[in-house]
Amino acid sequence: MNSDQCISLDVQLGKGVKLSKFINLYGCEVGDHTKIGAFVEIQKKAKVGKNCKISSHTFICEGVTIEDHVFVGHGVTFINDSYPRATTPEGELQTEKDWKVEPTLVKKGASIGSGATILSNLVIGENAIVGAGSVVTRDVPGNAIVAGNPARLLRLITTEERVA
């Protein structure tokens, strides 16, 4: 491990994974031939599939599963708690036992544009495209293009575009 990479011993890296400088990986899985950009953090129990590209400054938290062949643009943020709080009702700082991780699934071949925020408890469908800067608040159908805040369906990807 380089001094400019923080990769804990419990990280499972596939074959041919390309790691940039200044990354933070702990307790996660990264599939074969995936490329991780600079200043990316991937937390424990997160999974990134094979042949993915995770661009710089992206945050992938616990509870996120990214399937194979997914593109994640620069500065994408995933969320795993719909109602985050710093403290318990008694005023004490929360610990892991005070909240439940909410899952997010990004299916095979999806693309997420730079600066997007992906909320929890949702699925981004196979081959879907999320526009840059979008805030995804609900499921995205497969082969759909969504954009905006909140992200809304712009159109479906045509059969011809799927094979291009």
Side-chain angles (χ1 to χ4, degrees), residues 34-62:
T34 286
K35 181 179 179 184
I36 307 291
F39 303 104
V40 167
E41 178 168 332
I42 306 176
Q43 293 186 327
K44 68 182 179 184
K45 299 179 186 172
K47 297 178 183 175
V48 177
K50 298 176 184 176
N51 300 307
C52 293
K53 182 177 180 189
I54 311 299
S55 301
S56 70
H57 299 86
T58 288
F59 176 72
I60 302 172
C61 54
E62 180 179 359

Side-chain angles (χ1 to χ4, degrees), residues 70-149:
V70 169
F71 171 83
V72 178
H74 302 279
V76 171
T77 302
F78 288 86
I79 308 296
N80 64 3
D81 187 351
S82 297
Y83 302 99
R85 296 285 185 250
T87 58
T88 65
E90 295 78 32
E92 301 295 320
L93 281 178
Q94 280 194 351
T95 66
E96 286 187 24
K97 68 179 180 177
D98 296 312
W99 64 283
K100 180 178 179 257
V101 172
E102 298 171 346
T104 299
L105 174 61
V106 181
K107 291 197 166 190
K108 181 179 178 181
S111 293
I112 302 173
S114 295
T117 299
I118 313 299
L119 299 187
S120 58
N121 286 321
L122 58 82
V123 175
I124 296 176
E126 193 166 316
N127 299 314
I129 298 174
V130 174
S134 296
V135 178
V136 180
T137 61
R138 62 182 145 216
D139 289 349
V140 175
N143 299 303
I145 300 174
V146 301
N149 181 5

